Amino acid sequence: MIVKQLNDLIGTEDEVTGETWTSRRLLLKKDNVGFSLHDTIIKAGTESQFWYKNHIEAVYCVQGEGELENLEDGKIHPISNGTLYTLNGHERHKLRAKTELRMICVFNPPVTGRETHDKDGAYPLLDDK
C-alpha cells in the first residue's frame, strides 16, 4: 500500500516546475504501479505546447478554465472543472489557461520524475527508476 500527502511532496524533487506549469509527481515509475500520477498546476494566462509521442496521457481538470487545441486537426475544446481528455493518439496539442488550471494527469508508461520536455514538447523514455 502506498499513502502520500500532497503537502509532503511540495518543495522536494517530486515537485517539478517548467515555465508555464508545476507538477507534483504523486506516483512515479519507482512506485511500480504501471503508471504515474501527477497533480499539475498550469499558470493563468499561459500557453503550453506538448507532444507526448512516447506516452499516453489522461488529464482530468479539477479547477480552472482554459482550452485544448488539437494540433493534428485544429479542433479546440473548452477545458473546465470536470473535463477529461486523453491523448490516446499521441496528439500534438496546445493547452491555454485562461485561469489557473489544476489538472490530475496519468502517464503510461510511467515517468521517472526526471524527464524534461524536449524541443517537441515530449518526454523521453527513461529506463531506470
Side-chain angles (χ1 to χ4, degrees), residues 2-128:
I2 299 169
V3 178
K4 296 182 181 183
Q5 292 288 322
L6 178 61
N7 286 338
D8 294 338
L9 300 178
I10 295 173
T12 72
E13 66 181 12
D14 290 337
E15 181 180 48
V16 179
T17 300
E19 186 176 325
T20 61
W21 53 268
T22 298
S23 179
R24 291 83 59 99
R25 277 66 188 285
L26 295 158
L27 292 171
L28 292 165
K29 186 175 182 178
K30 66 184 176 187
D31 294 306
N32 294 313
V33 296
F35 59 90
S36 58
L37 178 67
H38 311 201
D39 184 328
T40 300
I41 303 296
I42 308 293
K43 296 177 185 175
T46 63
E47 178 179 280
S48 305
Q49 184 169 324
F50 303 109
W51 178 32
Y52 295 117
K53 57 187 172 183
N54 299 311
H55 298 83
I56 300 292
E57 182 191 28
V59 179
Y60 183 65
C61 178
V62 296
Q63 176 185 317
E65 290 186 22
E67 64 182 25
L68 174 72
E69 181 179 356
N70 181 339
L71 298 177
E72 307 293 325
D73 64 14
K75 290 184 181 175
I76 295 177
H77 307 273
I79 302 293
S80 62
N81 185 17
T83 302
L84 167 80
Y85 65 88
T86 303
L87 302 162
N88 57 315
H90 305 281
E91 296 87 355
R92 292 176 191 255
H93 61 287
K94 284 186 182 179
L95 184 61
R96 296 180 187 95
K98 294 178 184 175
T99 65
E100 181 178 272
L101 291 167
R102 184 171 181 197
M103 316 290 263
I104 305 304
C105 310
V106 176
F107 283 86
N108 187 20
V111 302
T112 67
R114 294 184 353 279
E115 292 84 354
T116 56
H117 291 100
D118 65 17
K119 64 179 175 50
D120 292 327
Y123 284 145
L125 285 175
L126 298 180
D127 290 330
D128 59 336

